[in-house]
Amino acid sequence: MTAALLDRATLAEIGALEATDDIEFGVRLLANTPTHESRDHDRLRQWARTADEFGASLAHVAPTARVVESGDGLAKGLLARYTSRPVPTVELFTDTLALAEELIDRLGWRHWYPAGSVREAAIAHEAVHEQLHHGPAKSALKQSLGHVVLRAGRHRLYGHVAGADEIAAHAYARTVCGLGRSPLLLTAALATVADPQQGSPHGREK
Amino acid sequence: MGVVILLVMAVGVAAMLTRRLPTAFALTILAIVIAFLAGAPLTGENSVLDTVIQEGAPALAATMIAILLGSWLGKLLDETGIAGTLVRKIVEFGGDRPVVVALGVLAVSTLVGTVTGSAPAAMLAGIIGIPAMIAVGIPKVTAAGTILMGIAAGMPFELPIWQFFSTALELPVDTVRGFMLKLFPFALAAAILFVLIETRRRGVEHAWSLKSASAKPASRRKQLGDAPWYALLTPLVPLVLALGLDVAILPSMLAGVLYALVTTTRPGEMNKRLLRTLYGGFEIAAAPIVLFIAIGILLAAVKLPGAVEALEPLIKAVSPQNPVLFVVVFTLLVPLCLYRGPLNVFGLGAGIAGVLIAAGIYPAVAVLGIATSYNQVFGVSDPTSTQTVWSAQYAGVTPQQVMLRTLPYVWAVALGGFCVTAATYL
């Protein structure tokens, strides 16, 4: 990262991000997720809060996936990635992680994100995806969100809220890694300076 | 002279492959050169100007109208939120299980594929379908492939395609429909197997993306909301009419347009929406219509008596008559329909099909079998076809990655098509 990347306009943009509360970043994540185009802001905020609380309350689990590292995260617009096949693997993108650490220092955010905590958060984040993918936590999250898609008398069918697992994963990482702010704030700040050229046109890789 | 014509065709393929000339222009130039080489006069009977250009250009007019109506219906499906609502419901009901979401999006793509083909179909199903699949953990190549395999599964029921093969091969629509019904199980089985096998092989993928927390302006769809449940039946309307009730293709498609309109639009807004989506449909249909004009011209050229006379001995010598050999040879030739190759039915392949029929090498219905089988491959895996390029790029992968992943499945569909053709028509 060069000093030019943190010019006055970028700093002002990051300042605005800093003033935004963590739940709002969850709302943005949901708004960027397809299937939520017609949802109003209040509903998205309620889901973001619930998913955040759910993730924060998840019991601490030791990650079991193998961890590998690669250096092309900035080109892909990624910090970390979990793949379940052929064996559960967490891929950490060292260039993006290094940029994140540098940005934290430059912005004076070290009290929120202690040294090495981004790497730790990335592993914790992906561990939740593994847990939500394989374990019973997935239906628990769905029930807590309470998005009823079908009603028949007393019976209710809860619908899947796309993107909620991502918010839960960030909230879990924030809690277990002792971060002062959501990793989503750091993600937004990184996106401001990294300006990834690749990735999905719909705004999310996941 | 036959060899010279084949050499000219090879030059035409090279021009398309290297993108020196757009396919439609290359086919038209090819047709005129072939006509001159075949000894056609400038004007009069079997001539370059009167037969090849004047009669050839509108020869596929019915297909062009069907393409336009399909594009119109596609535009309506998009503007009224019908396609988006279908995908949204699938994610809400089956989002817990990525394979269920992928199968659901596959079903939507299949339905959309029956209405309109090519890039408009990919966009209709993919604009929400691809990110929705990625959001529940489907890897990107699998997501793009699912859309394409779904569209290809719907292709045997795509009414404009029936019209195209009926006109181009001079076969009754009933005959085309009959073969398509036999091809459909292969296409559907391959599509379902693609989803089941690929989601199992590749598992799920979740990523911490830099873009996940970015602010994004509200989309137009926000104001549109969900389409009512009965409007979601729109893609079935033309299909039920044409397949179940034997209604002709164009009125069936018009009925689909009207159904989509009355189930989603207030009476006062109908005129405006109809006109807006029709004009939008013209824009979508422009590229394929130009291509069909060129294909009509090429077909007219290769059917000239001089061309048939020159090409017949050559093509006869390399065209297997034994059913087993027929299946083996045409299966091995499958890659030649990729990269705008000579067996691409929306390119030179149409001309070759015309020669096979005009020279009497195979019955027209067997040529239909060959052409439609290749079309199943081209429609999914060709990295130069618009739907493949769009789906791959929208998912954030390369068309070549999608080709490599989908090719085994569609190659098997083509094999199935050739087996049916050999067993039934040879």
Side-chain angles (χ1 to χ4, degrees), chain A residues 177-201:
Chain A
C177 299
L179 308 182
R181 291 288 306 263
S182 168
L184 282 168
L185 166 63
L186 180 61
T187 312
L190 268 170
T192 307
V193 296
D195 188 24
Q197 295 302 305
Q198 292 186 21
S200 300

Side-chain angles (χ1 to χ4, degrees), chain A residues 39 82 84 138 142 201 205, chain B residues 92 96 140 204 206 394:
Chain A
R39 314 264 184 234
Y82 166 75
S84 67
K138 193 193 304 191
K142 194 163 75 168
E205 280 286 338
Chain B
E92 284 184 355
D96 286 358
K140 294 171 179 179
V204 294
H206 293 283
Y394 192 65

Side-chain angles (χ1 to χ4, degrees), chain A:
Chain A
M1 182 173 60
T2 65
L5 287 176
L6 278 182
D7 57 17
R8 191 177 291 180
T10 309
L11 280 172
E13 213 175 316
I14 293 176
L17 292 175
E18 201 177 319
T20 305
D21 75 80
D22 284 354
I23 299 298
E24 192 57 31
F25 286 113
V27 174
R28 289 182 185 183
L29 189 149
L30 290 177
N32 285 344
T33 305
T35 73
H36 297 314
E37 294 87 346
S38 56
R39 314 264 184 234
D40 63 50
H41 183 269
D42 290 347
R43 187 162 205 196
L44 292 182
R45 193 164 171 89
Q46 183 205 328
W47 281 344
R49 187 184 299 283
T50 307
D52 185 90
E53 286 167 2
F54 180 88
S57 67
L58 275 173
H60 184 250
V61 284
T64 55
R66 72 181 180 128
V67 177
V68 296
E69 294 184 349
S70 63
D72 55 348
L74 286 171
K76 291 176 175 167
L78 297 177
L79 263 148
R81 176 164 58 191
Y82 166 75
T83 46
S84 67
R85 298 271 180 171
V87 288
T89 303
V90 172
E91 192 178 1
L92 298 175
F93 296 96
T94 50
D95 56 339
T96 322
L97 289 175
L99 179 64
E101 291 291 344
E102 194 183 338
L103 185 66
I104 291 166
D105 281 333
R106 282 176 182 254
L107 294 172
W109 286 0
R110 193 51 78 190
H111 59 292
W112 284 336
Y113 304 102
S117 63
V118 187
R119 188 180 196 281
E120 213 183 310
I123 295 173
H125 175 109
E126 304 306 343
V128 170
H129 279 309
E130 190 182 5
Q131 199 183 341
L132 288 175
H133 179 61
H134 298 290
K138 193 193 304 191
S139 32
L141 171 61
K142 194 163 75 168
Q143 294 232 336
S144 69
L145 289 164
H147 176 39
V148 177
V149 287
L150 207 61
R151 245 180 251 269
R154 286 179 302 146
H155 302 285
R156 289 171 178 188
L157 183 67
Y158 292 102
H160 177 79
V161 176
D165 54 341
E166 190 70 17
I167 297 171
H170 281 301
Y172 173 82
R174 183 193 64 217
T175 309
V176 298
C177 299
L179 308 182
R181 291 288 306 263
S182 168
L184 282 168
L185 166 63
L186 180 61
T187 312
L190 268 170
T192 307
V193 296
D195 188 24
Q197 295 302 305
Q198 292 186 21
S200 300
H202 43 81
R204 297 182 66 220
E205 280 286 338
K206 177 182 164 288

